[in-house]
Amino acid sequence: MIDNDGYLYIPDVNKQEVRRWKMEETNRTVVVAGGNGRGNRRDQLSQPYYIFVDQDHSVYISEYGNHRVMKWMKGAKEGIVVAGGQGQGNDLTQLSYPYGIIVDQMGTVYVADCNNHRVMRWPQGATEGSVVVGEHGLGGEANQLNYPISLSFDRQNNLYVVDCHNHRIQKFHIDSC
């Protein structure tokens, strides 16, 4: 992901960290999240696959191995849990192998909750999320998902979901929280 200032952010699953660098400064990288080995402490990551960087340069990271989404504010030495973090499961406080994430202008986190075959919405400061897509479980119908992996919004507030095992991209209109 590239932010508005031209910095490129890359999750490194092998080193359990997220690095940032300026495109024209190829030899100068900075660890902005993790880097303290694999684990579930607030200063560690476990399989950071997807990231989102907001306008304040906070980095949101979906951790496949910890079943949570962490927010690392610019310059922070540890993150805060903004979604999941209550172990693997399908309760509204849990995620199961989260992949794609996106954060709206209000700080609401949307997560492709892959193994639960749903997309969850976590308003800023919430202790549990709500299902916005996929509440009808695993399947191939228009209201079902089969391993969602990536998310995107357009300007009309439509949510696009990459529905991996159904081999499709689905479009949904999402009302605000």
Side-chain angles (χ1 to χ4, degrees):
M1 167 160 229
I2 299 176
D3 70 15
N4 292 336
D5 295 325
Y7 287 97
L8 177 66
Y9 295 78
I10 300 290
D12 187 330
V13 177
N14 293 326
K15 293 183 180 178
Q16 312 301 328
E17 64 189 22
V18 175
R19 291 189 159 271
R20 179 191 76 206
W21 68 86
K22 191 84 163 167
M23 297 298 286
E24 52 279 342
E25 299 174 9
T26 57
N27 292 329
R28 197 168 157 195
T29 67
V30 175
V31 174
V32 295
N36 295 303
R38 184 177 183 163
N40 63 2
R41 294 189 324 241
R42 290 179 28 177
D43 68 340
Q44 294 178 307
L45 299 173
S46 179
Q47 297 175 291
Y49 284 133
Y50 284 82
I51 60 172
F52 181 88
V53 181
D54 70 13
Q55 62 201 17
D56 296 324
H57 300 103
S58 292
V59 180
Y60 294 79
I61 306 156
S62 68
E63 290 186 75
Y64 190 83
N66 282 330
H67 311 287
R68 68 185 182 186
V69 175
M70 297 286 285
K71 176 182 178 181
W72 289 63
M73 296 173 69
K74 184 177 181 180
K77 299 295 181 203
E78 60 183 34
I80 58 172
V81 177
V82 294
Q86 301 298 313
Q88 180 183 7
N90 64 357
D91 288 340
L92 295 179
T93 60
Q94 297 176 305
L95 298 169
S96 182
Y97 300 104
Y99 265 92
I101 54 174
I102 193 163
V103 181
D104 70 15
Q105 301 237 348
M106 301 299 294
T108 302
V109 177
Y110 293 81
V111 184
D113 191 9
C114 188
N115 278 22
N116 284 325
H117 314 288
R118 64 189 184 183
V119 175
M120 298 285 292
R121 172 172 48 200
W122 296 70
Q124 189 171 8
T127 57
E128 69 178 35
S130 61
V131 179
V132 293
V133 175
E135 61 274 357
H136 299 286
L138 170 67
E141 299 298 320
N143 61 359
Q144 295 177 308
L145 299 172
N146 191 347
Y147 295 97
I149 60 169
S150 190
L151 307 173
S152 183
F153 274 112
D154 67 16
R155 293 181 186 190
Q156 288 76 42
N157 204 32
N158 294 306
L159 175 67
Y160 294 84
V161 179
V162 176
D163 190 9
C164 184
H165 289 184
N166 280 324
H167 310 285
R168 65 186 180 190
I169 297 172
Q170 288 202 156
K171 175 181 171 182
F172 301 93
H173 180 73
I174 304 297
D175 295 321
S176 60
C177 297

